[in-house]
Amino acid sequence: MAARTGQEARTGLGSRTVTRNLSASGERNDGNAMMSDEIRSEVRRIVPALTDDRYKGQSGKIAVLGGCAEYTGAPYFAAFAALAVGADLSHVFCSTSAAPVIKQYSPDLLVHPYFMQTADLLQQMRATAEVEGWFNRLDCLVVGPGLGRDPLLLDIARSVILRARACKIPLVLDGDGLFLVAREPDLVAGYTNCVLTPNLNEFRRLASTLGVSLHGPNNDRSSKLVEVTAHLRGPTLVSKGPVDAICDGKVTMICNASGGAKRCGSQGDILAGTIATFIAWTLAFLDSARQSAEINPMVLASYGACLVTRTAAAYAFASRKRAMVASDMLAQLGSAMEMLFDS
């Protein structure tokens, strides 16, 4: 991927430390934190410019591991969201039963039916190897949307996470991927190229596994988020809610952009695919600029994705009101990107 050129490509990311937190009352305590327009300016620099000299793949190659007989919508929304915000290629690694359905949703997705829901260790090893064969052609992998709780599929996902981590592939874990992490936090502990996207219930489950009490003193959302990330020693958490809180244990950013007033299903899947694309862009920018970032790339990418997703939700709700569904959000992602970063 080619980054934006000129002075901004030479200066690196994050000239100031970001320390935005939520106080116990729920209000922002900014300190010396960047204001939202400054953070947005930082994010804008990593969004690749639309020019006629680019080639296929430069704007991101994303994959989603998920999709079973029961759940085919979630991997579709995650994978298609990556395309809708600007990635060039988006793959879905799924069960053989889910593949025909997902292919019918869109011909733009590259769908790979590698997983058979059968208790066959050889098949599990073969499926893991098939996914790993794509690693050198991916910029980020999302694990979990629509995966389900089938033991074989969970074992395959676990194996893929371990192989991706060994190959330093950036990861976004959502949905049933978070169920895996709650059962076995060591899957991602210490891995900095990883973003977890828990909703409230998923955060409670993860906190319980890590022995973090959500009761008693200092029970505000920000302090508990910091405590959980500290236990994990590496991954960035995006705690979804009325505002999105993004934390790597050192830095907490709050994205409180207006979203839609209706919480329809699959908004989290859309966010996961969008985060993956922003991770690809951020790492490509830093690579081309030959700079390290003062702001954790996972935090900055997650903030940009939260901002875009919430803006798309606001647009969709303004148009559809109570009838709003996740497909309406997909249709608004391009407009949100244009308004936020291309205008």
Side-chain angles (χ1 to χ4, degrees):
M1 287 188 290
R4 293 178 185 271
T5 59
Q7 180 65 28
E8 61 184 7
R10 295 194 296 270
T11 56
L13 290 172
S15 58
R16 298 173 61 188
T17 301
V18 180
T19 56
R20 174 165 294 180
N21 291 305
L22 285 178
S23 68
S25 64
E27 297 183 1
R28 290 197 301 268
N29 178 14
D30 290 343
N32 66 342
M34 287 178 168
M35 301 305 289
S36 60
D37 57 342
E38 293 179 89
I39 303 172
R40 176 173 153 185
S41 178
E42 289 290 305
V43 174
R44 184 182 185 279
R45 297 164 60 202
I46 60 94
V47 176
L50 295 171
T51 60
D52 58 9
D53 60 349
R54 300 178 68 76
Y55 56 85
K56 181 174 66 176
Q58 271 191 300
S59 290
K61 304 177 291 292
I62 309 303
V64 176
L65 191 157
C68 61
E70 291 85 358
Y71 307 115
T72 57
Y76 160 74
F77 283 115
F80 201 88
L83 296 178
V85 296
D88 288 336
L89 297 168
S90 192
H91 302 256
V92 178
F93 303 123
C94 62
S95 72
T96 53
S97 57
V101 181
I102 298 172
K103 288 182 178 183
Q104 289 183 37
Y105 291 153
S106 173
D108 297 298
L109 300 178
L110 302 168
V111 182
H112 309 274
Y114 289 155
F115 313 144
M116 297 177 63
Q117 291 177 252
T118 174
D120 183 338
L121 180 60
L122 182 62
Q123 195 276 327
Q124 175 187 333
M125 296 171 61
R126 187 182 300 118
T128 302
E130 293 274 16
V131 176
E132 186 177 358
W134 284 92
F135 281 177
N136 64 351
R137 288 170 280 181
L138 298 178
D139 296 313
C140 189
L141 175 64
V142 182
V143 178
L147 182 65
R149 302 290 173 85
D150 179 88
L152 176 70
L153 295 183
L154 289 174
D155 284 343
I156 292 173
R158 180 185 182 279
S159 298
V160 170
I161 290 170
L162 292 173
R163 293 306 306 148
R165 179 173 177 171
C167 295
K168 296 181 170 56
I169 302 296
L171 291 169
V172 179
L173 271 63
D174 184 59
D176 294 311
L178 295 171
F179 175 77
L180 269 177
V181 172
R183 292 200 317 184
E184 192 176 346
D186 283 347
L187 281 175
V188 297
Y191 189 47
T192 56
N193 275 0
C194 180
V195 175
L196 311 180
T197 61
N199 59 27
L200 178 59
N201 287 331
E202 290 163 341
F203 182 76
R204 286 171 174 163
R205 186 182 302 125
L206 182 58
S208 176
T209 299
L210 295 171
V212 176
S213 174
L214 299 182
H215 306 286
N218 299 318
N219 193 32
D220 62 283
R221 181 183 177 192
S222 181
S223 66
K224 295 304 179 183
L225 187 58
V226 170
E227 197 172 344
V228 168
T229 52
H231 276 76
L232 291 172
R233 310 181 313 281
T236 293
L237 263 68
V238 178
S239 177
K240 299 177 291 192
V243 299
D244 296 325
I246 304 152
C247 180
D248 66 352
K250 301 176 182 177
V251 167
T252 302
M253 281 189 184
I254 302 300
C255 183
N256 59 358
S258 297
K262 182 182 178 186
R263 282 294 303 172
C264 57
S266 283
Q267 291 191 48
D269 303 312
I270 291 172
L271 176 61
T274 304
I275 290 174
T277 303
F278 271 83
I279 288 173
W281 291 343
T282 304
L283 295 179
F285 177 92
L286 292 171
D287 183 62
S288 68
R290 289 170 167 64
Q291 292 277 347
S292 60
E294 292 183 28
I295 303 175
N296 183 338
M298 301 296 114
V299 173
L300 193 65
S302 296
Y303 182 91
C306 288
L307 184 60
V308 170
T309 305
R310 294 176 75 90
T311 302
Y315 285 175
F317 181 75
S319 173
R320 299 285 290 161
K321 299 294 191 297
R322 292 183 184 276
M324 171 188 162
V325 293
S327 298
D328 299 317
M329 281 184 61
L330 284 182
Q332 296 293 344
L333 285 170
S335 297
M337 285 293 301
E338 183 176 7
M339 189 278 289
L340 291 166
F341 305 119
D342 295 331
S343 59

